[in-house]
Amino acid sequence: MKIGIDAVAFDVAKIHLPIPTLAKARNIDPEKLQKGLGLEKMTLPDVHQDVVVFGANALTKLIQNYNIDLSKIARIYVGTESSIDSSKPISSFLISLMEQKFGENTLSNCDVVDFTFACIGGVDAMQNCIDFVTLNPTKKAIVVTTDYAKYDLNSSGEYTQGAGAVALLIASNPRIIAFGNTWATSTKGVFDFFKPYRTLAKTDITGNDANEAWFDNLESEIEIHKDQPVFDGQYSNQCYMDRTRDAYFSFKKLKNTSQTVYESWTSIVMHLPYAYQGRRMLSEIYALDASNSTLSGAEETTVYQNKLKEISKSEAYIEFVSKKLKPAELASSLIGNLYTGSIFMGLLSTIAHFYDTKKEISGSVFGFLAYGSGSKSKVFEGTIQQDWQLALKDVSLFETLEKSFEIDFETYEKLHKKEQHQSVCSPKNEWILDRIESENPNLLGARYYKWVD
Ligand SMILES: CC(=O)CC(=O)SCCNC(=O)CCNC(=O)[C@H](O)C(C)(C)COP(=O)(O)OP(=O)(O)OC[C@H]1O[C@@H](n2cnc3c(N)ncnc32)[C@H](O)[C@@H]1OP(=O)(O)O
């Protein structure tokens, strides 16, 4: 029995800051960001958008575009690392919004839950749904990944920001891709990138906020957490390399093959925090798994690093990148990081590119290298199915990204600091954040959403 992705939809933030604009404002060489990291645009949420909005829009498009019968959906599992509540999952918001739109009690027997493990939570949700459909082949499951990759202003993560959601229908006899049974995992508990809670004393709250009525009712301390992570960029790259290498070679062992594994993959889809992360991180695996490689782990660190640099600049590696990795990078350059959705956007970018260039890929095997900080990697593979083009017909990925609205630097900073109160683009045919019911909208309260025609 084949199990995999039968349909896909996405909702990416509709406004962006061009990377050269950011580079100029931050006094960074734009060539470093564009040619070194592959960045072109950085998407960010409008005033009326948050992660529930992106998830609900992607899910609504999936249901409408593919005429999905909701009585067949047994699970909606969400992958996210941008949760807005420590108790109520995003999937619980999604259920109520879908029932508002598609009819009361249409999903009341559906199991919903959120998965969090940094950027790999969406892959964890999907693997779980694949196992479920394997046991229950007449049932279907939906995976929604939704995140806002927000970093501190002036930090090294600032130019990798992005926001949006991807929704996947997981079913037996899928039209797009069927996954194999070999899944390799590598895990290690590290602090490369994380979002800790911190205790804020009442005395830390000053200015207008301290004069508001809600302030008197506060406990002496409150727990808050920032959307932006604490991270060490270069160390996170090292953890990414270590975990993906371990998972890749464990995959090779599980496959019990002496062949170079990536040779059998037409395309390689990796977690992309920015477009060129995959190509920068994969050169080691590329050399170590090549039968004629001279790279050995026994050398001194600097010798080893220099050899890796040499390999990544070789003609053979550049050709390998352009053949196997480039199609997945195209959307990432125009969006930025989607955290849990990045690997699935990489898959969508690849197949949308082959669709637009009229390349027949059915029967091709794609390799996947997922990564989540903290840290975990999973390596698996899937085979493109006969009807992949049919399932992609209404997706229009690159046409949609083309229409993204450019904002200036001042608007970007106001949105980032939550000082912009008027939407940049008027919403149409989509969910929006309607209101937060609390005395101070910045702190606590129930969030309500509505559909705008
Ligand atoms: C967060 C997740 O989603 C999970 C993960 O994947 S963790 C792994 C990734 N980590 C992150 O994304 C954390 C947030 N990001 C960051 O901290 C940083 O953006 C980063 C660590 C990813 C990159 O750091 P940086 O200091 O800006 O860049 P740096 O590592 O020096 O690389 C710049 C590249 O541009 C190249 N470059 C510099 N100037 C250039 C120029 N003028 N022209 C062309 N290329 C240039 C450099 O040679 C280098 O490329 P190579 O190493 O391939 O040669």
Side-chain angles (χ1 to χ4, degrees), residues 29-37 81 118-119 151 156-160 192-193 231-234 236-238 240 271-274 277 280 309 312-313 337 339 342 371-373:
D29 179 358
E31 299 260 291
K32 173 193 158 180
L33 303 187
Q34 292 178 284
K35 296 202 171 132
L37 302 178
E81 57 163 295
C119 303
Y151 287 88
S156 70
E158 188 181 19
Y159 31 85
T160 69
D192 60 332
F193 167 110
F231 67 98
D232 176 341
Q234 297 307 337
S236 70
N237 277 345
Q238 191 56 52
Y240 184 113
H271 167 59
L272 297 181
Y274 56 91
Q277 171 80 348
R280 290 180 78 208
K309 277 260 171 260
S312 65
K313 289 185 174 23
N337 200 352
Y339 286 160
S342 287
Y371 177 73
S373 287

Side-chain angles (χ1 to χ4, degrees), residues 219-362:
E219 304 285 331
S220 61
E221 288 182 339
I222 51 168
E223 289 270 300
I224 56 157
H225 104 268
K226 275 199 331 175
D227 292 336
Q228 299 95 297
V230 175
F231 67 98
D232 176 341
Q234 297 307 337
Y235 176 55
S236 70
N237 277 345
Q238 191 56 52
C239 295
Y240 184 113
M241 272 177 94
D242 292 346
R243 292 286 74 70
T244 50
R245 184 188 56 239
D246 283 359
Y248 178 91
F249 284 103
S250 140
F251 180 85
K252 179 167 173 145
K253 212 167 172 186
L254 290 170
K255 292 287 274 188
N256 197 18
T257 177
S258 57
Q259 305 291 311
T260 305
V261 173
Y262 60 74
E263 294 288 4
S264 63
W265 293 339
T266 301
S267 289
I268 303 175
V269 182
M270 299 174 71
H271 167 59
L272 297 181
Y274 56 91
Y276 290 177
Q277 171 80 348
R279 62 167 77 184
R280 290 180 78 208
M281 300 297 122
L282 200 65
S283 56
E284 187 187 34
I285 289 174
Y286 170 84
L288 288 173
D289 199 18
S291 43
N292 58 356
S293 169
T294 53
L295 190 70
S296 124
E299 289 119 338
E300 193 195 315
T301 320
T302 46
V303 176
Y304 191 76
Q305 291 305 333
N306 288 340
K307 273 197 175 179
L308 273 184
K309 277 260 171 260
E310 227 172 82
I311 289 160
S312 65
K313 289 185 174 23
S314 69
E315 221 173 277
Y317 188 67
I318 291 168
E319 199 191 320
F320 165 86
V321 164
S322 120
K323 215 166 125 198
K324 298 195 192 251
L325 293 171
K326 183 82 200 161
E329 297 172 347
L330 298 171
S332 176
S333 293
L334 303 173
I335 297 171
N337 200 352
L338 287 181
Y339 286 160
T340 52
S342 287
I343 191 162
F344 300 113
M345 183 50 77
L347 170 63
L348 188 53
S349 177
T350 306
I351 50 181
H353 168 73
F354 288 139
Y355 182 85
D356 290 349
T357 54
K358 301 196 171 22
K359 188 166 177 209
E360 177 48 87
I361 49 164
S362 52

Side-chain angles (χ1 to χ4, degrees), residues 155-180:
S155 71
S156 70
E158 188 181 19
Y159 31 85
T160 69
Q161 296 176 106
V166 179
L168 313 163
L169 180 65
I170 307 298
S172 53
N173 297 319
R175 282 171 297 177
I176 299 178
I177 187 167
F179 293 105

